[in-house]
Amino acid sequence: HATGQADRVVFDAPRMTATSDEVIQFNAVVYDSVNNPLEGQVNWSATNGSIDENGLFYPWSSGTVQLVAEHQGLTAHHNLTVEVGVPVSIDIPQRDYDVRLAQVLQAELLDVRGNAILVNQGVLWDVNGENIGSGQPTWTPSELGEYTMRARYNQLEVMITAHVTPGQPYSFDFPPNMQIQAGTSMLLSPALVDRFGFSMPLSTVPSITWSVENGSIDAQGEYFAARTGRWSVSATYQNITGTGEIHVIP
């Protein structure tokens, strides 16, 4: 016999996967306790993307999306896997590179929604007009500065400005022939360099620990000369160190 009382909501043969550039129709059926379908308004919601009052779903981001069909407090849940759609553009996500270090070049394909997928073959690369290779080639920039980098994949192409900067801080490099009169002070400012000698701002490291053989030095690197002589000075931050010599004259 028919109860006519809503008992549950069921998704009707739902899709399990879709691409982000599709529009997918979902349907849900309200049943009573003896499996008779009932008429009734179903309210739709989605954790990502948009779904209208008729169950028409427009994906946004790739990944897992949970869809909910609700009728009078009864709910049904369905997980849909949204995959990246047809690529419409290409991008190079990395813009900054370390000088003299071999780095892998990688490109992303983007669908109409901006969902990205790394592409590892079929990409042709050139830097400043020079062919670098295809797929995910390695590039070792020889000098600091800006480079024009281009990636091509079928009919898609992108050109960016890549910035080559010094690598990781490696040591403090004091200038030679530091000289100061006894009883005066000077600010020490060694160069902070990577392992190839390329310098970067001292502010790259948050703090420096100073030590000096004679005289005193504050946290900012201000050295106060006491006795005359040649005294060693050192700067340290974690495993980055450097030593120099100060000549204190009368």
Side-chain angles (χ1 to χ4, degrees), residues 17-54:
T17 62
T19 59
S20 62
D21 42 21
E22 290 183 80
V23 179
I24 306 104
Q25 177 68 57
F26 284 96
N27 296 294
V29 181
V30 181
Y31 289 100
D32 66 13
S33 59
V34 291
N35 292 335
N36 292 316
L38 304 177
E39 294 293 320
Q41 173 68 36
V42 173
N43 301 308
W44 295 95
S45 60
T47 55
N48 191 285
S50 63
I51 189 164
D52 72 9
E53 60 193 19
N54 300 311

Side-chain angles (χ1 to χ4, degrees), residues 110-172:
L110 306 171
D111 67 14
V112 70
R113 299 281 189 185
N115 296 301
I117 185 168
L118 279 176
V119 56
N120 54 19
Q121 54 191 16
V123 183
L124 302 176
W125 294 86
D126 62 70
V127 176
N128 285 357
E130 179 187 344
N131 177 38
I132 299 297
S134 65
Q136 293 181 327
T138 57
W139 177 52
T140 308
S142 59
E143 297 297 332
L144 303 177
E146 294 186 343
Y147 293 76
T148 300
M149 182 179 287
R150 182 170 64 157
R152 285 173 291 158
Y153 181 82
N154 296 338
Q155 306 306 311
L156 305 175
E157 179 177 311
V158 65
M159 189 175 290
I160 67 158
T161 299
H163 303 276
V164 175
T165 55
Q168 293 298 312
Y170 181 73
S171 66
F172 296 103

Side-chain angles (χ1 to χ4, degrees), residues 64-229:
T64 301
V65 177
Q66 186 178 79
L67 301 144
V68 180
E70 183 270 339
H71 173 78
Q72 294 180 359
L74 303 170
T75 58
H77 300 80
H78 175 67
N79 286 343
L80 174 73
T81 300
V82 177
E83 296 164 346
V84 178
V86 175
V88 295
S89 64
I90 185 172
D91 188 35
I92 303 168
Q94 184 177 346
R95 306 294 168 102
D96 298 307
Y97 297 84
D98 291 345
V99 69
R100 294 196 188 170
L101 286 183
Q103 288 140 104
V104 176
L105 301 183
Q106 290 190 312
E108 288 179 339
L109 295 177
L110 306 171
D111 67 14
V112 70
R113 299 281 189 185
N115 296 301
I117 185 168
L118 279 176
V119 56
N120 54 19
Q121 54 191 16
V123 183
L124 302 176
W125 294 86
D126 62 70
V127 176
N128 285 357
E130 179 187 344
N131 177 38
I132 299 297
S134 65
Q136 293 181 327
T138 57
W139 177 52
T140 308
S142 59
E143 297 297 332
L144 303 177
E146 294 186 343
Y147 293 76
T148 300
M149 182 179 287
R150 182 170 64 157
R152 285 173 291 158
Y153 181 82
N154 296 338
Q155 306 306 311
L156 305 175
E157 179 177 311
V158 65
M159 189 175 290
I160 67 158
T161 299
H163 303 276
V164 175
T165 55
Q168 293 298 312
Y170 181 73
S171 66
F172 296 103
D173 199 354
F174 285 91
N177 307 318
M178 290 187 292
Q179 187 171 293
I180 184 176
Q181 275 190 305
T184 64
S185 69
M186 68 185 288
L187 185 66
L188 301 181
S189 56
L192 179 60
V193 297
D194 69 8
R195 62 189 176 118
F196 301 109
F198 291 97
S199 62
M200 64 200 80
L202 268 185
S203 57
T204 306
V205 295
S207 63
I208 300 174
T209 301
W210 305 89
S211 68
V212 66
E213 195 178 356
N214 186 270
S216 63
I217 190 166
D218 68 13
Q220 282 67 48
E222 186 84 24
Y223 171 65
F224 301 90
R227 287 195 291 133
T228 58

